[in-house]
Each structure stands twice: as structure tokens, then as C-alpha cells.
Amino acid sequence: MENSGTIRIGNENFDFPIIEGIEGERALDTRTLRAKSGCITFDEGYGNTGSCLSEISFINGEKGILRHRGYPIEQLAEHSSFLETAYLVIYGQLPTADKLAAFCAEVRNHSSIHTGMRHHFEGFPSNAHPMAILSSMLNSLGAYYPEMSSNNREQDLAHFDESAALLISKVRTIAAMTFRMKQGLPFVFPDHSRRYAENFLHMMFSEPYNDYQDTSGASNALDLFLLLHADHEQNCSTSTVRMVASGGANLFASVSAGVCALWGPSHGGANMAVIKMLEEIHAAGDDGSRFIKDAKEGKAKLMGFGHRVYKNYDPRAKILGKSSERVLEGLGINDPLLDIAKHLERAALEDEYFVKRKLYPNVDFYSGILLKAIGIPVEMFTVMFAIGRMPGWIANWKEIAENSKSRIHRPRQVYTGSAIRDYLKVDER
Ligand code: ACO
């Protein structure tokens, strides 16, 4: 049958239905495999495993397509804003003008954090990594809103609209406070007259004697950066959020776990690693050619290149590449790292090693150059990714929490350790 598939194990055949997504992707529904056959599938890294049915984002990695709720990322990047796209990702529809205004007002009204939380910052050493602080603070935030973080799904969902707006707002305030604390600078209160991204830059860079003014379009570029990170299907951090949510944990705990998963250099931490790589190449007087040679010989990894799903250009990288150039031009910055990045990109796109493995620039390749130009310190780059990804994590938590049939995520394993041993046998020690 066209809509079923057969797995043959030994001499026995087992039939399974095929589930089809609306874009034609097909999945063999093996949920009854173990019960029928005693066998499980082994798919380390989950490259062939669909962990859920989801209505939020669609990626076609072969064609370089990304859509949120059906809207192509290119259209959203050109016409939408971060908060409008956040609303779309979370609620499934573009908001009317009234709904968007109400959502923005709710986000604005939640921008301050409880005074008690200011003391938490005093407990961190000034060399603490901002991602460690962010993850702790987001989980602590739940403690200040026990009615929204009850781990009772009905109750947490009843407060969902408020907790979603609150998190989108406060993640930005916590990020800016982290930067100020690490610099030994006093905290700056949010300014309700400013838009989302500009308010963040104000909380980062305003001084009592020098109010931050965006004269170069930095806040628009930052808004675009955040929009481009809003969601990305079942990536490592989003899958982590869903995993934590599947056990019934509240939204605050789930997104805090998402921050931890994002931190690693193979995931969100790559944006920091790209700048470090470009700076090292520059310091060594290389134009990128030597580094490419090392990458091909397995001595180095070209950070910001390659993706588990995209086997074509990451559409977000294309948009960010152009935007970085515009921002640097607008700010009158001549960054040699941009020239090295462009050279690396050209060289890699023509080199057989990268072409054969379908390794293209991903979103992190140009995002660091953009953030650096805006004045964000490298250590904060992955935090910026987390602010952008918050809507996607929230939407995925909601999808799990609203599904009364969702089961706890609990993969199996193939055990390869010692066979049974006897504690009382002395000669086994
Ligand atoms: N530089 C050089 N070679 C690479 C790179 C790279 N960046 N990425 C993959 N390869 C090579 C691998 O060594 C492998 O080669 P082989 O077939 O000779 O063994 C081949 O390409 C296939 O790579 P996989 O390891 O199968 O790719 P996987 O899907 O497991 O990993 C990942 C994807 C983690 C993104 C990887 O490409 C990588 O480490 N890239 C650099 C880090 C990075 O930019 N991460 C950000 C990802 S996007 C995001 O999370 C926002």
C-alpha cells in the first residue's frame, strides 16, 4: 500500500502506516514497533526520527526553505517585526493591528523585574558566563510567579498569555542587567517609550549622563536579527524545551533548560565561536585559505558552516549577510573580519570538500559580525540568540501543554555495558 511501509525483521514482516505532512514529507509511524516485534529503532542523533507532529515551522533543508506558520522567512524579514513574528509563531496567526498593539503593550508592561531578583545578580561572580546567569534567572523568575509555574498544566495554561509576554519581555531585561553587572555598571531601567530592540540597547548602553540614541539603525538591525532567530523547528534547544515540557514542567523551567541546550558551540554557541575563529585567522595574518586547508584535513572546523537539516544555503544566513554589510556601512565601520568571512564563504562554496558534503553558511556565520558592529560583546552573543528564540520555545511548550494526549518523552537505548556481575565474587574486583 502507498500509505504504509513494511519492516522485515528476520523472517517476519511488520506493517506500519505512513504519516504524511502537508508539504509531502513522509514518516513511517513505528510507534507500535517494539510491542509488535520486540525490536526498537536505533537513530543516534535522531537524524531520521520525527519526535512530534508540529504546526509551527517548516524547513525544507534541501531547498533552503524556512516558513513560520506558512509564511516564508524572507517575507517576514522584509515586512514584519520581531514582536509581530513572535505573536505569529506563538498563536498561529498574524495579529490584527489591535491585537498586535495589545501584545506589545503587555510585553512593555512586563519589562521590569522584581526588586528581589536584583539581589540574585550579586551572587554571581563577575566572570560568570552570561548564559549560566540567564538560565538560572529564567528558572528563578518562575519562583516569583508561582501561579504561572505550578506544573499543573491547566493552571499554567490559564496564565499562558501573561507568562509568554512576560518571558519575551524579561529575558531582554535580564540579559541587559547581566551585561551591566559584569561591567560593574548600575542597572538601567527600561524606557516604555522605546520599541523592543531599542529598549534593549538603551538598557545595555545608556548612562545617566548619556542617554542611548540610535542614530545608525542599529535597533532595526537587531530587531531583524531577533526575528530571524524566532523559531527553527526541532533543533537541539527546542527539542530540549519539549522534552522538559513533556514531563509536565512549567514554561519557565522548560525555557531555562532550552538556554542550557543552546549554549553549546555546536548549536547557539557557534555565533561566539565564529568570531573567535575569524579573529584568530586575522591575528595569524591568514586570509582564510590556510584555515580552509586545516578544516579539510580535519584539524579545524569551519564554524558557522554546516547544518543537520540544511543541505543548501540557510535562508537566514543570506538575509543576515546582506544586513551585516548594510549595518557596517551605516556605522562607517570597516571590519576586516567581514572581508575574511566573505573570502571564507567564497572559497568554501567553490571547494570540493564543502560542496560534496553540502556545507553552506548557517545563521551564525554572519550574525556575530552584525552583533559586534552594534556593540554587543562576544560573550553576550548566545544570549542574543536566546532572546530571539524565546517565541519558538514558548510556542513549542504550548503545543505540548495543550495536547492532552502528549506522552512523556522517554527514548530507549541499546545497552552496551557489562553483563550481569556478582557483587560477592571477590575475584571480580
Ligand atoms: N567544517 C568542516 N567540516 C564539517 C563541518 C564544518 N563546519 N561541518 C560538518 N563537517 C563535515 C564532517 O566532518 C563530516 O565529514 P565526513 O563525512 O568526512 O566525516 C561531514 O561534514 C558531515 O558532517 P556531520 O558531522 O554529519 O554533520 P552533523 O549534521 O552531525 O552536524 C553541525 C551539524 C553540528 C552543525 C556541524 O556542521 C558543525 O559542527 N558545524 C559548525 C558549528 C556550527 O556552525 N553550528 C551551528 C549550527 S546552526 C545552529 O545551531 C543555530
Side-chain angles (χ1 to χ4, degrees):
M1 268 200 300
E2 215 177 70
N3 55 356
S4 74
T6 303
I7 295 180
R8 187 170 177 80
I9 301 172
N11 291 327
E12 254 190 292
N13 287 340
F14 300 94
D15 294 331
F16 300 96
I18 287 179
I19 301 175
E20 197 156 319
I22 66 137
E23 294 291 342
E25 71 276 17
R26 284 147 65 83
L28 192 64
D29 178 357
T30 56
R31 280 176 289 181
T32 55
L33 174 65
R34 187 169 179 276
K36 282 182 179 167
S37 70
C39 223
I40 60 170
T41 56
F42 178 64
D43 184 22
E44 194 181 29
Y46 309 125
N48 303 282
T49 298
S51 62
C52 59
L53 300 176
S54 180
E55 296 180 358
I56 303 167
S57 294
F58 169 73
I59 298 176
N60 181 325
E62 277 69 35
K63 294 189 179 155
I65 291 174
L66 169 62
R67 294 183 205 137
H68 297 318
R69 305 286 190 177
Y71 293 98
I73 191 67
E74 293 81 1
Q75 284 189 9
L76 293 170
E78 195 173 341
H79 303 291
S80 186
S81 64
F82 173 60
L83 285 187
E84 188 186 52
T85 297
Y87 184 101
L88 170 72
V89 166
I90 294 170
Y91 293 107
Q93 302 293 338
L94 281 171
T96 59
D98 285 352
K99 281 192 174 157
L100 181 59
F103 181 64
C104 292
E106 184 80 353
V107 169
R108 216 169 26 246
N109 292 339
H110 277 295
S111 54
S112 299
I113 66 163
H114 192 287
T115 316
M117 279 194 84
R118 295 165 64 102
H119 301 301
H120 292 223
F121 283 101
E122 289 159 20
F124 291 104
S126 61
N127 62 354
H129 194 283
M131 286 294 274
I133 299 178
L134 184 65
S135 161
S136 319
M137 293 301 261
L138 288 176
N139 209 3
S140 307
L141 200 54
Y144 285 83
Y145 300 93
E147 71 287 4
M148 299 183 200
S149 57
S150 65
N151 289 354
N152 170 324
R153 276 204 180 143
E154 254 176 50
Q155 187 178 327
D156 290 349
L157 280 171
H159 290 280
F160 176 78
D161 292 345
E162 191 180 356
S163 52
L166 182 155
L167 272 163
I168 287 173
S169 193
K170 292 194 198 308
V171 67
R172 169 194 57 168
T173 310
I174 292 170
M177 288 174 84
T178 301
F179 167 73
R180 303 284 301 187
M181 179 279 279
K182 285 175 65 69
Q183 299 291 311
L185 294 167
F187 297 135
V188 176
F189 286 106
D191 172 353
H192 282 196
S193 69
R194 301 184 195 239
R195 288 159 62 97
Y196 186 88
E198 192 195 342
N199 204 357
F200 171 74
L201 294 173
H202 156 69
M203 286 189 272
M204 291 277 287
F205 302 126
S206 275
E207 299 299 346
Y209 48 85
N210 190 6
D211 211 27
Y212 175 81
Q213 296 301 331
D214 177 13
T215 47
S216 59
S219 58
N220 286 341
L222 182 58
D223 196 79
L224 176 66
F225 166 90
L226 297 172
L227 181 155
L228 291 173
H229 286 77
D231 189 43
H232 207 235
E233 208 223 47
Q234 298 312 312
N235 57 84
C236 173
S237 57
T238 301
S239 300
T240 300
V241 169
R242 287 186 85 112
M243 172 77 86
V244 176
S246 79
N250 65 74
L251 181 57
F252 297 86
S254 303
V255 299
S256 157
V259 170
C260 295
L262 186 71
W263 192 356
S266 295
H267 189 14
N271 58 13
M272 280 174 67
V274 169
I275 288 292
K276 211 169 145 248
M277 171 187 81
L278 294 174
E279 282 173 348
E280 278 167 15
I281 292 173
H282 183 53
D286 179 14
D287 64 353
S289 313
R290 258 183 286 149
F291 193 88
I292 295 254
K293 189 169 166 286
D294 284 351
K296 285 163 58 178
E297 288 169 4
K299 292 186 202 150
K301 215 173 208 183
L302 189 48
M303 300 312 286
F305 255 71
H307 199 275
R308 173 59 60 79
V309 180
Y310 290 119
K311 300 303 166 198
N312 199 325
Y313 227 108
D314 178 340
R316 303 166 302 169
K318 266 191 199 161
I319 300 168
L320 269 182
K322 283 190 200 134
S323 168
S324 315
E325 273 189 55
R326 271 201 309 272
V327 170
L328 261 63
E329 250 175 57
L331 290 165
I333 297 174
N334 186 8
D335 189 343
L337 300 193
L338 181 64
D339 296 333
I340 294 175
K342 280 194 198 157
H343 181 247
L344 279 178
E345 181 185 353
R346 269 196 311 274
L349 291 177
E350 285 162 10
D351 193 293
E352 202 209 327
Y353 174 94
F354 294 90
V355 173
K356 205 172 123 203
R357 289 169 179 76
K358 298 188 174 153
L359 299 169
Y360 291 86
N362 60 49
V363 68
D364 292 317
F365 194 64
Y366 283 110
S367 65
I369 291 173
L370 178 75
L371 293 174
K372 191 166 163 270
I374 293 172
I376 311 288
V378 176
E379 213 189 22
M380 290 287 289
F381 283 7
T382 317
V383 168
M384 303 310 296
F385 191 149
I387 300 174
R389 184 51 55 84
M390 188 55 78
W393 290 337
I394 292 171
N396 277 274
W397 180 90
K398 184 169 182 265
E399 212 168 57
I400 291 263
E402 283 179 342
N403 179 2
S404 57
K405 291 196 182 129
S406 79
R407 301 178 73 201
I408 187 165
H409 289 194
R410 202 317 187 171
R412 288 189 175 261
Q413 64 166 21
V414 177
Y415 176 65
T416 57
S418 300
I420 186 164
R421 297 201 260 185
D422 188 342
Y423 184 84
L424 297 175
K425 271 195 185 165
V426 178
D427 60 355
E428 285 206 353
R429 297 195 178 182

